[in-house]
Amino acid sequence: MMTFRHRCATVTALLLCTAAGQGVAQTRAPSSDAKAAERRAADTERRMRPDERTTLTHGLWAIPLIPNVVIPPEAVLGAGYVTGIPRLDVPALIETDASLGVSYIAGLRKDGATALPSATAMGSTWNPDLIRRGGAMIASEARAKGFNVLLGGGINLMRDPRNGRTFEYFGEDPLHSGVLGGAAIDGAQSQHVMSTVKHFALNAQETGRHAVDGRISDDAFRMSDLLAFELAIERGKPGAVMCAYNRVNGAPACGSDYLLNRVLKRDWRYPGFVMSDWGAVGATDFALAGLDQQSGAQIDKQVYFGAPLAEAAARDNAYAARVADMNRRILQSIYAVGLDAHLPVKGPIDFAANAAVARAVEDEGIVLLRNQNALLPLSKDVRSIVVIGGYADSGVLSGGGSTQVQPEGGPAVSLPMGGEGPLAKYNNQTYHGTAPLAAIRALAPKAKVTFVDGRYPAEAAAAARRADVAIVFATQWMSEGADVPNLSLPGGQDATVAAVAEANPKTIVVLETGGPVLMPWLDRTGAVLEAWYGGARGGDAIAATLFGDVDPSGRLPVTFPASLDQLPRPALPYAGMIDRDFAAGVAEGKTYPIDYDVEGADVGYRWFARNGASPLFPFGFGLSYTTFDHRALQIRGGASPSATVTIRNTGTRAGSDVAQLYLVSTPAGRTLRLAGFAKVTLQPGATATAALAIEPRVLADSKGGRWTMPAGTYGFALGRSATDLGPVVTVRLPAREWR
Ligand code: BGC
């Protein structure tokens, strides 16, 4: 029997087994490589001529949609281009959006790419090794297309499930998002492609994203959203941090001295550079607040970090010092990731090998939410199946906006969603990847498999009545730039699902949603799978899970509320209002505060626990076709606390379990915080001992920028979810305080 403790040395849990203390050390004591990069950067910066000193501090949006912008021939059509300095062998920065794959930018570049499933699906894997492979895969494709910077690493926490970019983020917990986000970045940069982490910070909704002002206390912020960034930065060492559109405590995030100079650069000693989001810069003095590079500068009112910055530097020492620092930071990241030594080489892509990575992510990302009377896995001898709705005959849904990825040849289905102007194409609702219908047919060759589009509930119900099994696909499209108004499935799909479930008790609902949705029909269904946005092999992964070729091992990275009034803000802040104000020309100078201190650091499951509210499905939840037994949880104290637990597969199939360790009490009282996790794969009857590092910052409270832990008794429990906790094990820990 191979124990998980042994596996820690090589596989899934390596990061978790070793990294909790390491990450801190790496930021505070730079490795020799980082020091060498710093020395080289200082040397190159000294050799810059005056006319070269603002070259790296601004870039353009490299798509031919804006009049009067000349895109240099060596740029690749994509999100951005920052001119290099050939005299000093400084390469241009050629940037593409790439959180989920090299993006397609509305079809302007015709080459396709491999789409990973949504980040929420990635979050459901709880498997940093797999997510690291995903990051490396995307970066390898980016290099083959001529890019050297990925605008990836989206790790905003889900403070509102209606956020239109929920699918771009890993979840709602800072440890979970920080670990997985760090792994994605690390994977990308292993290919000598620089990655960002974004959007720094509190970019929690798309409604009024350029105008809303997130208000939150420093302590709560550092224990939640900022902790996710802090962990991802330590683990992934991204070359750049992308600041957000919104304001934070009054200041624009990209012009926030507090966020950029104080938290990021002073407290965390971040050595890389801060790039703005596209169109997020409002003045040259954002440089003094810590912004190092103005991205997509033609979208702002002016190129603030070009001539105006050079002029400011010529007359003001503070600006001159800042410009030198901006250059050193950008150069340091270029050298640390090896962009100058490993120029991108355009070449062929092994799409089959890369699709296997996307498939592995979706296999582990699908979450089985309900399985009445073991309806799943389906027998391959089933005689008739009706597949209903969700364009399941064509592909799987994907999210819209800058992360949109398409395969070679374009999307399987592309539905215009309205909108005006040159960016309207960003709005298409697109389906790609493999089609679930074909994959189901392939796995059940003896069955009669029919398809009904699902637009008419009565027609779908009649087809369901005639079949042995009904599999109804329900979709919720999300896109950057807009939130969903509520958590109901759009377009009358709830009526279709309800009618089908009424007609056939063997109804399986497959959800392809960006995030949580309400399920008014839940009790009438036989089974529910959350498949998220499934990526390049989504249909195959869904079918393999339905028929049991793959055991579902995904666990929810977000809480599914039972109703909107369970949320910290039952009404979406400023829905409709800010757009109206902009259209009426009255938004300028107005503030739109959102009070995030309502929940503070108690985001997601912690908010539900605080209020004693029962969610529809809790954070960490997910069923399997097998069963696991947890025994002998042991906690070791000391400066680097850790845990071990023995897990046994008590069922008859191989499967994977996620050991979730929650802190349930501190000397100050009850709490609920994910403190560590590890994923274990076990054959039937096999046992493993999982070793989990405990992240010390999760045990501590932030007070005035310092982590503090009182001496006393801390309680821990292993959870099958945030609401299904095992026996509490306590340990005495000494008082600690650190930054
Ligand atoms: C998004 C970023 C993206 C950038 C470039 C912005 O609108 O917020 O996530 O990287 O565009 O496409």
Side-chain angles (χ1 to χ4, degrees):
M1 181 192 72
M2 181 174 72
T3 70
F4 191 62
R5 200 192 301 259
H6 168 69
R7 291 185 62 205
C8 271
T10 50
V11 290
T12 305
L14 181 63
L15 186 80
L16 293 159
C17 294
T18 59
Q22 257 177 27
V24 182
Q26 282 162 353
T27 305
R28 301 206 171 169
S31 68
S32 54
D33 282 0
K35 281 203 158 138
E38 192 182 323
R39 274 196 302 275
R40 280 189 68 199
D43 178 59
T44 306
E45 186 274 323
R46 264 194 302 274
R47 291 189 290 127
M48 279 178 163
R49 294 191 310 235
D51 63 303
E52 291 164 341
R53 300 191 79 76
T54 58
T55 305
L56 299 175
T57 60
H58 59 96
L60 51 81
W61 198 27
I63 71 174
L65 293 177
I66 307 249
N68 307 324
V69 175
V70 180
I71 297 174
E74 68 276 18
V76 182
L77 291 189
Y81 178 81
V82 179
T83 309
I85 309 175
R87 186 183 72 83
L88 299 173
D89 292 328
V90 177
L93 300 180
I94 306 174
E95 302 163 334
T96 177
D97 277 299
S99 294
L100 313 176
V102 178
S103 78
Y104 196 59
I105 53 160
L108 290 170
R109 228 188 36 251
K110 295 295 173 205
D111 56 332
T114 303
L116 285 183
S118 64
T120 320
M122 294 190 228
S124 300
T125 70
W126 297 64
N127 184 345
D129 279 348
L130 186 54
I131 302 313
R132 188 178 293 104
R133 277 174 64 202
M137 182 280 283
I138 295 172
S140 73
E141 292 198 357
R143 268 177 71 79
K145 293 171 188 296
F147 295 105
N148 60 9
V149 178
L150 298 189
L151 310 175
I155 59 155
N156 295 92
L157 298 186
M158 191 190 79
R159 281 183 182 267
D160 195 314
R162 291 161 295 195
N163 178 3
R165 299 186 88 168
T166 298
F167 72 96
E168 294 189 40
Y169 304 134
F170 291 99
E172 66 187 24
D173 176 80
L175 175 67
H176 169 272
S177 291
V179 168
L180 294 178
I185 294 162
D186 185 45
Q189 294 196 159
S190 70
Q191 304 301 299
H192 305 292
V193 175
M194 192 192 296
S195 175
T196 60
V197 64
K198 69 186 185 184
H199 307 85
F200 192 62
L202 217 53
N203 191 175
Q205 66 174 48
E206 289 297 277
T207 300
R209 66 179 180 174
H210 290 275
V212 293
D213 179 11
R215 303 274 172 90
I216 190 165
S217 75
D218 176 64
D219 291 341
F221 204 11
R222 288 183 195 252
M223 292 168 68
S224 54
D225 305 61
L226 290 180
L227 180 56
F229 278 96
E230 188 177 8
L231 292 168
I233 289 170
E234 283 173 9
R235 287 159 188 259
K237 300 186 193 61
V241 171
M242 186 192 292
C243 50
Y245 285 128
N246 51 285
R247 290 172 173 267
V248 174
N249 293 331
C254 289
S256 166
D257 178 70
Y258 159 70
L259 268 184
L260 308 184
N261 281 338
R262 195 132 59 88
V263 174
L264 179 68
K265 292 181 177 176
R266 186 195 73 182
D267 295 348
W268 299 349
R269 301 192 197 173
Y270 176 64
F273 70 99
V274 180
M275 69 162 73
S276 74
D277 202 339
W278 272 235
V281 182
T284 304
D285 68 7
F286 280 29
L288 297 180
L291 181 66
D292 299 299
Q293 192 178 66
Q294 183 186 7
S295 311
Q298 76 272 32
I299 313 176
D300 291 317
K301 282 201 184 115
Q302 84 182 83
V303 185
Y304 296 106
F305 281 20
L309 183 63
E311 280 155 28
R315 60 176 155 74
D316 183 333
N317 284 343
Y319 275 100
R322 211 45 269 291
V323 169
D325 181 50
M326 290 153 91
N327 279 310
R328 283 195 298 265
R329 285 175 174 277
I330 298 165
L331 289 165
Q332 167 157 345
S333 291
I334 289 174
Y335 298 142
V337 184
L339 262 53
D340 59 326
H342 303 268
L343 299 178
V345 183
K346 289 194 185 176
I349 290 173
D350 186 345
F351 285 113
N354 292 353
V357 180
R359 167 73 195 267
V361 173
E362 181 67 353
D363 279 351
E364 292 197 29
I366 291 175
V367 185
L368 178 60
L369 294 174
R370 178 177 167 90
N371 195 13
Q372 291 302 99
N373 307 319
L375 175 56
L376 294 178
L378 288 173
S379 159
K380 290 183 180 170
D381 294 328
V382 62
R383 282 171 309 146
S384 64
I385 301 173
V386 59
V387 174
I388 299 165
Y391 292 91
D393 57 333
S394 302
V396 290
L397 183 58
S398 57
S402 57
T403 54
Q404 183 76 62
V405 182
Q406 296 299 348
E408 296 268 87
V413 176
S414 183
L415 306 172
M417 298 301 284
E420 287 168 15
L423 293 183
K425 272 190 168 177
Y426 267 121
N427 267 340
N428 282 18
Q429 180 179 155
T430 63
Y431 293 75
H432 59 195
T434 46
L437 179 64
I440 288 167
R441 284 196 169 124
L443 290 187
K446 295 186 205 149
K448 180 174 171 236
V449 183
T450 50
F451 178 72
V452 174
D453 66 28
R455 283 178 300 145
Y456 295 99
E459 184 191 48
R465 219 168 278 122
R466 288 193 297 271
D468 288 345
V469 172
I471 307 176
V472 54
F473 285 75
T475 60
Q476 176 215 40
W477 183 66
M478 283 187 155
S479 176
E480 179 183 341
D483 296 321
V484 291
N486 56 48
L487 297 180
S488 296
L489 291 170
Q493 294 178 93
D494 279 330
T496 303
V497 176
V500 170
E502 204 62 60
N504 188 335
K506 290 191 179 171
T507 289
I508 300 150
V509 182
V510 178
L511 294 168
E512 295 179 25
T513 66
V517 287
L518 303 176
M519 304 179 204
W521 32 258
L522 182 65
D523 290 347
R524 278 169 279 159
T525 60
V528 180
L529 278 186
E530 175 55 85
W532 313 108
Y533 300 156
R537 290 287 177 272
D540 298 340
I542 291 168
T545 303
L546 289 170
F547 287 98
D549 289 358
V550 167
D551 182 67
S553 65
R555 304 288 184 265
L556 291 180
V558 288
T559 304
F560 277 46
S563 65
L564 287 176
D565 58 19
Q566 291 183 325
L567 299 176
R569 284 159 293 280
L572 187 67
Y574 304 112
M577 174 178 160
I578 300 179
D579 284 351
R580 272 199 305 276
D581 282 0
F582 271 100
V586 298
E588 201 66 42
K590 252 180 141 174
T591 56
Y592 300 93
I594 301 179
D595 181 8
Y596 289 114
D597 275 327
V598 170
E599 72 275 36
D602 289 333
V603 179
Y605 64 91
R606 292 168 58 171
W607 169 255
F608 280 72
R610 190 165 111 184
N611 293 299
S614 300
L616 185 62
F617 291 107
F619 175 86
F621 178 79
L623 301 169
S624 161
Y625 297 147
T626 185
T627 47
F628 298 97
D629 178 51
H630 299 159
R631 290 258 165 90
L633 173 63
Q634 287 181 10
I635 309 287
R636 268 185 303 277
S640 303
S642 61
T644 53
V645 62
T646 302
I647 302 179
R648 181 174 154 79
N649 181 344
T650 49
T652 53
R653 293 166 165 269
S656 298
D657 193 24
V658 177
Q660 307 164 33
L661 184 72
Y662 293 88
L663 174 73
V664 296
S665 68
T666 70
R670 282 166 61 120
T671 188
L672 185 66
R673 305 177 188 178
L674 183 72
F677 62 91
K679 193 163 189 175
V680 196
T681 300
L682 290 170
Q683 293 303 314
T687 302
T689 300
L692 289 82
I694 296 177
E695 169 51 53
R697 282 162 286 196
V698 171
L699 311 187
D701 282 346
S702 177
K703 296 212 167 116
R706 296 182 68 76
W707 296 105
T708 63
M709 283 175 64
T713 302
Y714 290 73
F716 294 88
L718 210 69
R720 294 183 193 277
S721 75
T723 61
D724 183 4
L725 301 172
V728 176
V729 173
T730 59
V731 63
R732 277 194 69 77
L733 295 174
R736 277 184 71 192
E737 191 179 317
W738 74 102
R739 168 168 273 166

